[in-house]
Amino acid sequence: MTYTTILFERRGRTALVTINRPEKLNALNAQCKAELRDLFTRLKTDPETDAVVLTGAGEKAFVAGTDIAELASLDALTGKEFASGGQAVFDLVQHLGKPVIAAVNGYALGGGCELALACHLRLASDRAKFGQPEVNLGIIPGYGGTQRLARLVGAGRAAEMILTGNTIDAQEAWRIGLVNRVVPLAELVASALELAGVITAKGQIAVRMALKAVNVSMEAPLSEGLTIEASLFGECCSTADFREGTAAFLEKRSPKFTAR
Ligand code: COA
């Protein structure tokens, strides 16, 4: 597939993906969602990619939402399909099996906030703004926002954002746990790539098992999550990376992980 709305670059073992419709504040249209689906499907099994950084082109927006021009003609049936289709793309991000870091440069509104929520880590520039303004359009978040936002920041804070449609700035997003860090805009992508580099230097089997376990915590009751955690822990104990990691510690040297 030829990409016209996203850019893809390799930075070591990290894929840098940029949503690239700056003239429309990177609003997600059907083409953009199809391209994201295609690229993330490839990245899932790409042996050269251990992590992804996702950002928006330009200084103004990460993603200012779903493309409102494509919303206007929806009815009950097509609306449900529209939401399910977007959810499927964002599920692909959450279940990529490799860490995805959102580098939120500017507006992350509606589907843009939901896209950041589907990522595993979120870095925000000091100019970023987050919001779920769907209520202003007579709809609700439909790409996972009502579920992932509440799980991340708590139902009360999620309800305030979703019911008022109010936008919050990066500092407030950090205060409520919506983002991991706030950095100056000029350092944002470099910081996200550096964070990705810290993770890609670890044993990749352990990183993937850990991601799987953390994903389960979003959905399963504690008892089920603990059972899955124990199984994944056991799987890690059968790897060469585990033997290398423990041996390196005991021999006071840096480990050389091989993802085996
Ligand atoms: N869908 C489609 N187009 C969008 C868009 C969206 N979600 N967000 C911005 N755009 C377009 C604008 O229509 C405009 O296009 P034009 O130049 O062809 O008229 C362009 O991007 C620039 O946006 P503009 O509104 O002029 O910028 P601004 O700085 O005045 O305002 C925002 C920025 C983010 C506050 C404003 O664009 C906005 O409210 N966007 C919609 C946010 C939203 O409701 N998202 C949830 C959708 S479910």
Side-chain angles (χ1 to χ4, degrees):
M1 183 178 210
T2 308
Y3 300 140
T4 57
T5 65
I6 58 177
L7 304 171
F8 167 53
E9 298 161 58
R10 285 193 187 285
R11 300 291 179 90
R13 297 200 57 81
T14 299
L16 174 60
V17 180
T18 305
I19 313 235
N20 188 30
R21 297 183 73 212
E23 71 291 351
K24 294 290 180 189
L25 303 189
N26 304 321
L28 295 177
N29 61 5
Q31 178 67 23
C32 190
K33 283 178 281 183
E35 291 179 14
L36 284 173
R37 179 198 286 269
D38 184 83
L39 179 58
F40 276 82
T41 302
R42 282 173 47 207
L43 292 176
K44 195 175 173 76
T45 54
D46 178 14
E48 288 172 36
T49 301
D50 285 335
V52 180
V53 168
L54 182 60
T55 193
E59 297 201 339
K60 205 165 162 184
F62 172 67
V63 169
T66 263
D67 193 319
I68 296 171
E70 293 184 354
L71 281 179
S73 61
L74 296 178
D75 60 23
L77 184 62
T78 54
K80 187 175 178 191
E81 287 168 357
F82 187 89
S84 301
Q87 286 179 7
V89 178
F90 289 12
D91 275 355
L92 188 57
V93 173
Q94 186 187 339
H95 296 289
L96 189 71
K98 305 171 183 186
V100 185
I101 303 173
V104 181
N105 44 318
Y107 286 115
L109 302 178
C113 189
E114 291 168 299
L115 180 57
L117 289 168
C119 298
H120 306 105
L121 298 162
R122 283 155 290 279
L123 264 53
S125 90
D126 44 6
R127 298 206 207 154
K129 289 200 172 5
F130 296 80
Q132 297 288 166
E134 288 87 348
V135 76
N136 297 329
L137 302 170
I139 49 175
I140 67 170
Y143 290 174
T146 62
Q147 303 305 302
R148 291 196 178 96
L149 186 59
R151 281 166 169 76
L152 191 63
V153 303
R157 286 181 172 130
E160 184 172 347
M161 286 178 70
I162 292 167
L163 300 182
T164 65
N166 286 347
T167 299
I168 60 172
D169 66 18
Q171 279 305 328
E172 177 66 358
W174 176 78
R175 195 186 68 79
I176 67 172
L178 178 43
V179 300
N180 298 74
R181 290 185 209 164
V182 181
V183 298
L185 178 61
E187 296 165 23
L188 177 67
V189 171
S191 300
L193 288 168
E194 191 184 331
L195 180 57
V198 169
I199 297 169
T200 57
K202 310 293 179 196
Q204 289 310 294
I205 296 176
V207 166
R208 286 168 200 188
M209 297 289 176
L211 263 186
K212 216 184 247 187
V214 172
N215 270 339
V216 168
S217 78
M218 300 270 282
E219 294 176 14
L222 181 63
S223 55
E224 193 184 324
L226 290 174
T227 302
I228 292 170
E229 182 187 82
S231 299
L232 294 170
F233 183 92
E235 280 189 53
C236 289
C237 291
S238 71
T239 64
D241 277 356
F242 166 64
R243 286 191 297 279
E244 167 64 8
T246 46
F249 179 83
L250 296 173
E251 292 161 18
K252 302 192 187 305
R253 60 175 174 82
S254 298
K256 290 193 180 67
F257 292 119
T258 53
R260 281 185 289 124

